[in-house]
């Protein structure tokens, strides 16, 4: 394997006495799609700012493309593409102009940036909106334009901070397709998300973070195999009845999680578990057998949901 493009050892960022990032260590290989999965406030965006050479670390070591961000910030930023959590497009410029002006910041010639802009508009499926005002774009279109702009300098690493927050399901799937194409082309992707399905779709490997610390690391499939069962039975009994039902079903499955609105029974055969629930005389209002997900991994590791 080639040398890591990002390597962090005991990386720490403190604000006063509060550790937003608490001694985390990880590596990202060239061409890898790597994710940081965790709830809001877990330290994901703070980590991304340190990797992006816009926030100095408190302690630990960090190398990005073989350089220390505290010393080689400009050289690192010249080789990065950054998609921030909130779109920061220039609304005074039209769609194509956003790409042209941004490309000039990287020293590209007029001919180079014009060619690159047209290629990226096609990639982002925005060719027919090239002369449109930014404010006239939908949320999904703005997000695709922000990603296209981040690719104008042909970056070695693309950093994406919560790339699909606020998008409807259709827009999310279109964006996932664009990012999957980048992954196939060998672009290194580093993304933060609190959407478990997004992490499973896009990431070859990820770390689960909570309160500034890494709780687990591996591929989505490996994490699910290690920390959960093959299937999960979701049972809804109505207000305040989940805990009572859990006492009756305490020995069912490998383990259980009592949530405010439902009871989760972790079992290798969800249908068999449901039959046993009914055999014991319980009649849930609704029941669902599904495969385990990264949400279940996070529940196992932290005792709470990703969206809490």
């Amino acid at each position: 394997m080639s040398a890591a493009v990002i390597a962090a050892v005991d990386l720490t960022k403190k604000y006063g006495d509060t550790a937003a990032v608490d001694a985390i260590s990880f590596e990202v290989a060239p061409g890898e799609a790597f994710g940081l999965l965790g709830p809001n406030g877990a330290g994901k965006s703070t980590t991304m700012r340190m990797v992006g050479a816009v926030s100095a670390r408190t302690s630990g070591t960090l190398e990005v493309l073989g350089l220390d961000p505290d010393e080689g910030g400009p050289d690192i930023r010249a080789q990065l593409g950054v998609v921030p959590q909130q779109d920061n497009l220039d609304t005074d410029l039209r769609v194509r102009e956003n790409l042209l002006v941004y490309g000039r910041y990287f020293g590209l010639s007029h001919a180079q940036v014009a060619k690159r802009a047209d290629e990226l508009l096609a990639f982002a499926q925005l060719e027919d909106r090239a002369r449109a005002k930014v404010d006239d774009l939908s949320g999904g279109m703005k997000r695709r334009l922000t990603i296209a702009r981040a690719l104008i300098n042909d970056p070695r690493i693309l950093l994406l901070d919560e790339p699909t927050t606020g998008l409807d399901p259709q827009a999310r799937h279109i964006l996932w397709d664009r990012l999957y194409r980048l992954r196939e082309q060998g672009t290194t992707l580093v993304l933060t998300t609190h959407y478990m399905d997004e992490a499973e779709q896009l990431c070859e490997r990820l770390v689960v973070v909570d309160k500034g610390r890494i709780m687990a690391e591996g591929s989505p499939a490996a994490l699910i195999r290690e920390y959960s069962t093959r299937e999960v039975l979701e049972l809804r009994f109505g207000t305040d009845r989940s805990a009572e039902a859990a006492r009756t079903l305490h020995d069912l499955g490998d383990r259980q999680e009592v949530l405010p609105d439902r009871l989760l029974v972790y079992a290798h055969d969800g249908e068999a578990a449901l039959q046993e629930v009914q055999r014991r005389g319980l009649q849930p209002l609704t029941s669902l057998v599904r495969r385990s997900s990264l949400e279940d991994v996070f529940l196992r590791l932290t005792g709470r949901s990703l969206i809490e």
Side-chain angles (χ1 to χ4, degrees):
M1 182 180 294
S2 302
V5 292
I6 301 172
V9 178
D10 294 332
L11 181 62
T12 301
K13 178 68 175 183
K14 289 186 176 181
Y15 296 99
D17 293 330
T18 302
V21 176
D22 193 0
I24 66 173
S25 301
F26 64 90
E27 289 190 353
V28 180
E32 185 175 26
F34 180 83
L36 293 97
L37 175 69
N40 292 328
K44 306 185 304 295
S45 295
T46 302
T47 301
M48 292 286 264
R49 286 195 292 272
M50 288 189 284
V51 170
V54 294
S55 178
R57 64 188 181 275
T58 303
S59 62
T61 62
L62 176 63
E63 281 194 358
V64 181
L65 298 170
L67 301 171
D68 184 332
D70 288 353
E71 299 172 358
D75 290 332
I76 291 173
R77 289 191 292 272
Q79 302 177 76
L80 297 181
V82 179
V83 179
Q85 198 169 116
Q86 300 294 327
D87 293 325
N88 57 356
L89 299 165
D90 192 329
T91 57
D92 292 329
L93 301 176
R94 295 184 182 272
V95 168
R96 188 171 184 269
E97 292 171 340
N98 263 272
L99 301 181
L100 297 176
V101 171
Y102 196 72
R104 295 293 286 163
Y105 292 141
F106 292 95
L108 300 176
S109 69
H110 285 289
Q112 287 174 315
V113 77
K115 180 176 183 293
R116 187 73 177 144
D118 290 337
E119 292 171 348
L120 289 170
L121 286 174
F123 171 79
Q125 297 179 309
L126 292 171
E127 295 158 291
D128 60 338
R129 309 307 297 267
R131 295 186 57 78
K133 295 180 178 179
V134 169
D135 285 338
D136 292 338
L137 300 181
S138 67
M141 290 177 179
K142 289 178 181 177
R143 209 65 181 135
R144 298 205 304 272
L145 179 58
T146 302
I147 290 175
R149 188 188 62 179
L151 295 169
I152 197 72
N153 61 322
D154 194 18
R156 293 179 60 187
I157 303 173
L158 182 62
L159 304 179
L160 303 114
D161 196 2
E162 305 284 359
T164 65
T165 295
L167 298 186
D168 62 61
Q170 182 180 13
R172 291 180 74 208
H173 282 281
I174 293 173
L175 195 60
W176 286 352
D177 176 69
R178 300 297 99 180
L179 294 177
Y180 191 80
R181 289 170 186 248
L182 285 175
R183 199 178 89 177
E184 287 185 320
Q185 294 167 13
T187 302
T188 301
L189 303 181
V190 181
L191 66 97
T192 74
T193 184
H194 58 264
Y195 293 132
M196 58 186 178
D197 54 344
E198 184 160 272
E200 288 189 57
Q201 286 284 336
L202 296 177
C203 298
E204 298 167 272
R205 191 168 57 87
L206 56 86
V207 292
V208 179
V209 294
D210 187 38
K211 298 178 181 177
R213 295 185 177 182
I214 291 177
M215 310 298 291
E217 179 177 353
S219 70
L223 288 171
I224 291 169
R225 283 195 302 270
E226 182 175 356
Y227 292 101
S228 192
T229 53
R230 187 171 65 89
E231 294 184 339
V232 184
L233 171 61
E234 292 194 6
L235 302 168
R236 283 181 167 83
F237 291 95
T239 306
D240 300 326
R241 293 188 57 203
S242 292
E244 178 185 345
R247 287 191 288 272
T248 303
L249 302 172
H250 70 278
D251 59 341
L252 183 62
D254 285 22
R255 66 184 183 89
Q256 300 176 5
E257 292 283 355
V258 180
L259 302 182
D261 62 335
R262 63 196 186 279
L263 171 64
L264 304 182
V265 178
Y266 290 89
H268 293 283
D269 187 337
E271 290 293 345
L274 178 58
Q275 291 175 9
E276 178 62 19
V277 170
Q278 296 166 340
R279 192 189 69 78
R280 296 186 187 188
L282 295 180
Q283 296 297 325
L285 299 176
T286 64
S287 61
L288 170 68
V289 176
R290 61 169 175 81
R291 70 180 181 89
S292 282
S293 71
L294 289 171
E295 176 82 11
D296 300 300
V297 172
F298 193 79
L299 269 170
R300 177 71 178 272
L301 293 171
T302 70
R304 60 193 179 90
S305 170
L306 272 166
I307 60 175
E308 289 181 11

